[in-house]
Amino acid sequence: MNVVYRLVLLVLLLPATAVANDDVYVPDDLQQWQEWVLHDKAYRECPFIFDRTATQRNDFICSWPGSLTLSVDANGGRFEQQWSVYAEQQWIQLPGNTSYWPHQVTADGRSVEVVLRDNIPSVFLEPGNYRLAGSFAWDERPGNLSLPWQTGLISLSVNGQAVARPDRSSNSVFLGERRQE
């Protein structure tokens, strides 16, 4: 009973981000329990949302996108986006959908397999920082292109012309001429 009491006390006293830290002191009596306590808790090394309690898995963000650069014309397009993946392997959603599938997708210049996950083209990445890039081909430029919901910043050019303020919804960006207000 004494060992279990110490184990519970250790888990309660350590901050969420320190639980997975290798520099944390663990008493000799509890060393054998450390792997068991931390099993399936790698997400605790990820940043957490500021107004959450950081007690549940969905309080943590284990992948974070940078700005999406998207260049399109009548024949197709190219995209590039930085991603940071923390602590665990993550599914990263890509621009596009089943109608406009991303081709020649690379992570830091190396080909990666794109799969359909939750009806969205996605890649599975290990922890690290990546530059994802790929292309699209179409017979006619679509009116909208689906985007990962996490994407916030977009640098868009249509037919070689930069679009200062892309017109977008929560899950797509408008690729036509700028709408009149």
Side-chain angles (χ1 to χ4, degrees), residues 9-22 24 37-38 40-49 52-57 59-60 87:
L9 184 62
L10 175 70
V11 170
L12 292 176
L13 292 178
L14 291 176
T17 56
V19 171
N21 189 339
D22 292 337
V24 172
V37 170
L38 297 177
D40 200 31
K41 301 288 188 243
Y43 65 88
R44 290 187 164 278
E45 293 182 34
C46 302
F48 60 89
I49 301 170
R52 302 273 179 92
T53 60
T55 58
Q56 304 296 319
R57 181 180 283 271
D59 292 343
F60 295 83

Side-chain angles (χ1 to χ4, degrees), residues 2-126:
N2 192 13
V3 172
V4 172
Y5 174 76
R6 286 182 181 178
L7 178 66
V8 171
L9 184 62
L10 175 70
V11 170
L12 292 176
L13 292 178
L14 291 176
T17 56
V19 171
N21 189 339
D22 292 337
D23 297 336
V24 172
Y25 170 73
V26 178
D28 292 339
D29 292 347
L30 300 178
Q31 289 287 334
Q32 64 184 356
W33 293 94
Q34 186 175 10
E35 186 178 330
W36 176 77
V37 170
L38 297 177
H39 177 72
D40 200 31
K41 301 288 188 243
Y43 65 88
R44 290 187 164 278
E45 293 182 34
C46 302
F48 60 89
I49 301 170
F50 81 97
D51 63 346
R52 302 273 179 92
T53 60
T55 58
Q56 304 296 319
R57 181 180 283 271
N58 61 359
D59 292 343
F60 295 83
I61 299 172
C62 289
S63 58
W64 191 261
S67 179
L68 171 67
T69 301
L70 184 60
S71 176
V72 299
D73 60 27
N75 300 314
R78 295 211 41 81
F79 71 89
E80 187 174 302
Q81 187 171 27
Q82 292 291 132
W83 278 89
S84 293
V85 177
Y86 307 97
E88 303 181 299
Q89 294 176 323
Q90 297 289 310
W91 284 103
I92 304 299
Q93 297 177 351
L94 300 174
N97 55 32
T98 55
S99 298
Y100 304 106
W101 191 260
H103 298 284
Q104 301 169 335
V105 176
T106 61
D108 294 332
R110 286 178 250 165
S111 289
V112 290
E113 182 179 8
V114 179
V115 299
L116 191 63
R117 183 170 185 274
D118 297 331
N119 213 29
I120 299 170
S122 303
V123 296
F124 198 55
L125 298 176
E126 298 282 334

Side-chain angles (χ1 to χ4, degrees), residues 116-150:
L116 191 63
R117 183 170 185 274
D118 297 331
N119 213 29
I120 299 170
S122 303
V123 296
F124 198 55
L125 298 176
E126 298 282 334
N129 294 309
Y130 299 91
R131 182 182 57 81
L132 293 177
S135 63
F136 298 99
W138 44 63
D139 295 328
E140 182 178 332
R141 185 181 67 226
N144 291 297
L145 184 67
S146 297
L147 297 178
W149 67 269
Q150 304 96 324

